[in-house]
Amino acid sequence: MVDLISQYEKIKPEVDRAIAEVLATAQFINGPEVRSFQTELESYLGVKHVIPCANGTDALQIALMALGLKPGDEVITPSFTYIATTEVIALLGLKPVFVEVDKHDFCIDPKAIEAAITDKTRAIVPVHLYGQAANMDEIMAIANKHNLYVIEDNAQAIGCRMSDGRMTGAIGHIGCTSFFPSKNLGCYGDGGAICTNDDELADKMRMIANHGQSKRYYHDVVGCNSRLDSIQAAVLRIKLRELDNYIEARRSVADRYDAFLANIEGVSSPYRNDHSKHVFHQYTMILEGHDRDALNAFLAERDIPSMIYYPVPAHRQKMFEHFGSGDVDMPTTDWLTERVISLPIHTEFEDDQMEYILSSLEEFFKGNK
Ligand SMILES: *Cc1c(COP(=O)(O)O)cnc(C)c1O
C-alpha cells in the first residue's frame, strides 16, 4: 500500500547523518532533536503547543485524561474509524457513544452528533478519516452550544488545510496525531503528538505524559510514560520539510485514479468535500454492484495490494458488546463497511506502476460488467 523504501532512498544521506548525530551524542530521550521538532511542528500547524509522545493512541489517551472526566461520562465518536479512536475512551472508563458518518466524505455527521447529546456528554472526538477534514465549523458550533470539548483525531490527516487555511488538528481544543511509519508524516518506528492552543491543557498534558510529574520526583496526578525518542524526532524533522511535497505526490496519484474511475460504472471515487483539501492518506472507493472480494483477489494475483479500511465498525466490535452498541442501527456505517476498498497510494509512484494498476483495474471492471 505504501513504498517507504523508495522514499527513504531519496532522503537517505540527510536521514543517515541525522541519526548518526543522535548516536554520537547519545541523547536518546528528550534531546535537542525532540525540542526542535516540537517547535517546527508548532509553526507548521500554526498551533501554540505541541507535545510529542510515543504514538497516536497515547496522544488520544493523554488528551482525554487531561479533561478531568468522570467514569461513565459520554464521548461521542464515529463508529467508522480505526479502533484506537474508540478504544481509549473505554479504557479510561468513559462511555463511547458511536454515531454515523457522512455517506460521502466518511467523516462524523454533525447532525448525528447533536442527536446523540445527553446530559452526560462531555466531549466529541471527530476523525479526519482517510485524509480529509470532518466538518469542523459545524462540530465546533455544536460543541460551543453544549459546552463540550473537541479532540480531533488527526492521525490520518496531518497537513490537511481547511478552506480558510487553518490546519486540521489545530482547530478543536486538542488535536492528536500519529507518526506510525505508513502515516502521511511517518517516522521509522512509533511516534505521536498532541497539540493545543490552550496553555492550561498543554501543561496538564505535558505532566500526564511524564508520570504526572510537576517537578522532578513530585507527582501530582496519575499519568503515564509516553515519549517521542530523539532518533524518531531527527527523522521527523527531515520528513516534515517534505510533507507538503509528499501530500502533492499523493494528490496527483488520486487525480489519476479519479480520472480513470470516472468512466467505470458502479464505482465511486473518493468524494472531496468543500471545507478542506484532501491529503489522501488512503484512496478509498465505494463499490456498488461489484464483488469486493473478487476485486481484492484479482489484484492480489497481480501483486497489487488492496485493503478494506475497516471491515468491522467499532459499534460491532466484541470489545464494546457490554455497551450494547451493536444494537444501535447505523445503516450508513454498515453500508460503507460492506462496500469500501482502498488502493495503494504513496509518495513514490512511478508511471509504469500506475499504468499497471489502472490496466489491471480496467481488466477487472470491464470483465465484470
Ligand atoms: C493510526 C491511527 C491511530 C493510532 O495511531 P498509533 O500511532 O498507531 O497509535 C489513531 N487513530 C487513527 C484514525 C489512526 O489512523
Side-chain angles (χ1 to χ4, degrees):
M1 297 297 283
V2 293
D3 182 357
L4 296 175
I5 295 172
S6 310
Q7 192 191 58
Y8 166 58
E9 288 299 328
K10 289 189 184 157
I11 50 174
K12 185 175 181 337
E14 270 180 283
V15 167
D16 290 1
R17 198 182 323 116
I19 292 177
E21 267 167 38
V22 175
L23 299 184
T25 59
Q27 293 192 310
F28 299 115
I29 301 294
N30 289 334
E33 292 292 328
V34 178
R35 279 191 299 278
S36 300
F37 172 63
Q38 176 190 318
T39 312
E40 287 157 11
L41 188 59
E42 282 164 356
S43 93
Y44 178 82
L45 293 173
V47 76
K48 219 165 152 191
H49 305 279
V50 163
I51 299 143
C53 65
N55 57 66
T57 309
D58 276 8
L60 290 160
Q61 182 184 323
I62 293 162
L64 283 167
M65 285 170 81
L67 303 182
L69 306 186
K70 289 186 296 300
D73 280 352
E74 295 178 1
V75 178
I76 296 175
T77 188
S79 173
F80 194 66
T81 180
Y82 181 56
I83 196 67
T85 318
T86 57
E87 184 184 29
V88 292
I89 299 169
L91 181 74
L92 295 173
L94 308 169
K95 184 180 176 197
V97 174
F98 301 112
V99 302
E100 285 277 36
V101 289
D102 181 272
K103 186 173 172 172
H104 303 289
D105 73 7
F106 309 110
C107 293
I108 194 165
D109 178 356
K111 281 189 286 301
I113 296 175
E114 276 222 274
I117 290 172
T118 71
D119 56 7
K120 288 193 152 175
T121 307
R122 297 288 175 269
I124 306 166
V125 184
V127 182
H128 305 310
L129 201 72
Y130 305 149
Q132 83 184 322
N135 193 330
M136 289 307 292
D137 287 339
E138 285 190 30
I139 293 168
M140 293 312 293
I142 294 167
N144 290 336
K145 185 168 141 199
H146 297 273
N147 203 18
L148 307 173
Y149 286 108
V150 175
I151 298 176
E152 295 172 75
D153 183 340
N154 197 31
Q156 300 190 1
I158 192 160
C160 174
R161 286 181 170 79
M162 307 299 288
S163 49
D164 62 7
R166 286 175 305 166
M167 306 214 72
T168 57
I171 302 164
H173 301 90
I174 304 174
C176 299
T177 201
S178 162
F179 307 124
F180 186 79
S182 63
K183 298 283 156 87
N184 283 22
L185 177 61
C187 59
Y188 295 163
D190 270 312
I194 314 161
C195 52
T196 185
N197 286 309
D198 184 313
D199 298 341
E200 214 172 298
L201 282 175
D203 285 345
K204 226 165 165 180
M205 292 191 290
R206 255 183 232 111
M207 188 156 90
I208 289 168
N210 185 26
H211 298 292
Q213 178 171 282
S214 56
K215 62 181 189 198
R216 199 159 210 188
Y217 303 127
Y218 289 79
H219 304 271
D220 296 1
V221 295
V222 173
C224 58
N225 172 27
S226 190
R227 298 184 283 239
L228 181 73
D229 70 70
S230 305
I231 290 182
Q232 301 311 332
V235 172
L236 285 165
R237 289 187 68 197
I238 294 161
K239 292 185 67 172
L240 179 59
R241 283 176 228 139
E242 299 294 330
L243 181 56
D244 287 341
N245 296 331
Y246 289 161
I247 289 169
E248 280 317 307
R250 286 173 175 275
R251 287 177 57 86
S252 70
V253 173
D255 288 345
R256 290 198 65 185
Y257 280 139
D258 277 6
F260 167 79
L261 291 176
N263 306 311
I264 308 288
E265 255 174 70
V267 185
S268 310
S269 55
Y271 175 81
R272 303 188 189 197
N273 66 33
D274 293 334
H275 54 258
S276 70
K277 190 171 168 189
H278 208 314
V279 295
F280 286 101
H281 175 59
Q282 301 297 347
Y283 187 91
T284 304
M285 324 181 275
I286 301 173
L287 302 185
E288 285 178 86
H290 297 284
D291 182 338
R292 186 170 64 170
D293 292 337
L295 174 59
N296 183 267
F298 180 91
L299 292 174
E301 241 170 66
R302 281 156 185 76
D303 287 325
I304 301 169
S306 62
M307 292 288 282
I308 313 299
Y309 302 116
Y310 296 93
V312 184
H315 77 287
R316 296 201 180 281
Q317 295 288 352
K318 203 170 167 194
M319 68 155 79
F320 297 130
E321 239 170 35
H322 59 291
F323 291 115
S325 43
D327 307 334
V328 181
D329 222 18
M330 289 208 202
T332 304
T333 295
D334 288 335
W335 188 88
L336 288 173
T337 303
E338 286 157 16
R339 286 168 184 78
V340 290
I341 184 164
S342 302
L343 296 174
I345 191 161
H346 54 77
T347 59
E348 309 302 320
F349 258 87
E350 302 285 352
D351 270 349
D352 56 337
Q353 290 174 324
M354 192 64 188
E355 274 148 30
Y356 178 65
I357 294 175
L358 294 184
S359 66
S360 300
L361 288 170
E362 176 143 38
E363 205 184 313
F364 178 84
F365 289 122
K366 293 284 144 75
N368 205 37
K369 241 178 171 171

